[in-house]
Amino acid sequence: MTEPHAGQPRRRADNIALGIGLTLLAIVIFGIQDAVSKSLVQTHSPFQLAMLRFWAFAAFSLVLVSRQGPLREAFRSKYPWLQWLRAILLVVDIWFFAMALKTVPLAELQAVVLVYPLMATLVAIPILGEKVGLFRLVAVFIGFCGALVIVRPGGLPIDGGVIFAILSAASYAVYIALTRKVSSADTTATSMVYVGVVGLLLTTAVGVFFWQPMDLSAMLQMGLVMVTSTAAHGLMMVALSRAPASTLQPFNYFALPWGIFLSYQVFGHLIDPVALIGGGIIVGAGLVVMARERHLSRVGRRGEMTAAEEETLPH
């Protein structure tokens, strides 16, 4: 899965088309990474895979942040324990996703984990104190029904892989909520460096016990995973610097048709029609939730503007 936007970076002049294009390109690269990772986890431990991924991401984040200023400044957080927790959650997410890759077809896996925006809507209630109305709750419920369609009797077997996929989505949903919370006070650099360093320490502490020798083919594949992961993260950051996150979010669902294509082309697996309908329900519900959140955000901004304008009027 992907590293989400650790606090939206300051944008240059908006270029919506470029932002969307870079987002789609990043999703294409992330999909290639997932396909290569699925091949690797058949013979190598998911913990080894996650460790090497974080070696690359930690190097990327430290170099990037150090170019913006002293690293010690980036470690200064108003929410240090939450930063640690969100980094741990991202590691756990990647562990679960890699374990799910071992047995769950890539297309179905992408469909199941796309419930994470719906889960994020729910966990935002206790973590961020957000109010979620009946409209969004119904959309979330319908989205979860889509997941049940995928794992229906006779559909995707409910085994360890499916459970890992659901746990991956849940971990990522909480990570997103915590990222929103810390971004209210901490900079993007701080959020990045915590994920990079904590992820490096945790995955290495576990991964060294699962190290398996790699032949030339495995090393080349692992190198491709490290390169694609870093490149996709970088592209997402640039995309967010050119367009608002709320504009780019719906395009993340491109991961589903791309995952279906890669699953067929690389592994010869074609998602069954009923599971595809379930995936479509999840995507549709997620888009409805996003649209509703954007509408409420616009209404809130207009309300704040009206209140501010009223304060300037004579009493």
Side-chain angles (χ1 to χ4, degrees):
M1 296 189 61
T2 68
E3 154 68 2
H5 334 309
Q8 184 176 343
R10 184 179 62 188
R11 292 197 303 275
R12 306 179 190 126
D14 276 356
N15 187 330
I16 304 299
L18 178 60
I20 292 172
L22 292 175
T23 298
L24 294 175
L25 179 58
I27 291 170
V28 167
I29 295 175
F30 274 128
I32 294 171
Q33 170 202 271
D34 291 341
V36 177
S37 296
K38 182 171 181 60
S39 177
L40 272 174
V41 295
Q42 306 306 316
T43 55
H44 292 77
S45 168
F47 299 105
Q48 180 179 1
L49 178 68
M51 176 180 66
L52 293 174
R53 273 191 61 180
F54 266 96
W55 285 2
F57 179 73
F60 168 72
S61 60
L62 289 173
V63 169
L64 187 64
V65 171
S66 64
R67 294 178 61 184
Q68 301 175 9
L71 277 175
R72 63 178 179 274
E73 295 294 328
F75 280 100
R76 292 181 180 175
S77 169
K78 292 186 178 181
Y79 298 107
W81 291 110
L82 290 183
Q83 289 284 12
W84 273 80
L85 179 57
R86 60 183 286 277
I88 291 170
L89 282 167
L90 184 61
V91 170
V92 170
D93 159 45
I94 291 175
W95 279 341
F96 282 139
F97 188 79
M99 288 186 281
L101 274 172
K102 192 163 188 175
T103 59
V104 182
L106 189 59
E108 282 84 349
L109 178 57
Q110 288 291 357
V112 171
V113 298
L114 281 176
V115 300
Y116 78 84
L118 305 175
M119 292 180 173
T121 298
L122 295 181
V123 300
I125 298 173
I127 294 177
L128 301 175
E130 292 185 1
K131 295 181 179 179
V132 178
L134 181 61
F135 187 89
R136 279 185 287 172
L137 287 177
V138 170
V140 168
F141 175 76
I142 292 173
F144 287 145
C145 288
L148 293 177
V149 169
I150 297 173
V151 297
R152 71 201 182 279
L156 193 63
I158 303 179
D159 57 9
V162 172
I163 294 172
F164 289 142
I166 295 171
L167 290 174
S168 172
S171 302
Y172 194 56
V174 180
Y175 168 89
I176 289 174
L178 291 179
T179 297
R180 290 177 182 170
K181 187 172 183 65
V182 300
S183 65
S184 65
D186 290 347
T187 64
T188 301
T190 296
S191 292
M192 277 194 63
V193 79
Y194 267 93
V195 166
V197 172
V198 174
L200 171 68
L201 294 175
L202 181 56
T203 56
T204 302
V206 175
V208 291
F209 295 103
F210 294 87
W211 182 268
Q212 297 169 264
M214 293 185 289
D215 58 21
L216 179 59
S217 175
M219 285 190 290
L220 290 175
Q221 290 181 75
M222 192 64 245
L224 181 58
V225 168
M226 295 168 75
V227 170
T228 52
S229 175
T230 303
H233 287 145
L235 287 170
M236 287 298 287
M237 288 182 61
V238 177
L240 284 164
S241 73
R242 296 306 180 97
S246 59
T247 300
L248 301 181
Q249 277 177 339
F251 293 93
N252 288 325
Y253 285 112
F254 177 62
L256 179 56
W258 179 235
I260 293 172
F261 174 80
L262 287 175
S263 185
Y264 180 70
Q265 289 295 321
V266 179
F267 303 103
H269 171 79
L270 185 62
I271 188 171
D272 72 85
V274 179
L276 181 58
I277 292 173
I281 292 172
I282 293 172
V283 171
L287 291 174
V288 167
V289 169
M290 288 181 186
R292 183 64 174 174
E293 289 176 349
R294 288 188 67 181
H295 171 72
L296 294 175
S297 177
R298 288 172 179 171
V299 170
R301 284 198 298 268
R302 284 199 295 267
E304 290 172 2
M305 185 179 299
T306 301
E309 289 170 350
E310 287 179 349
E311 290 178 359
T312 65
L313 297 176
H315 295 285

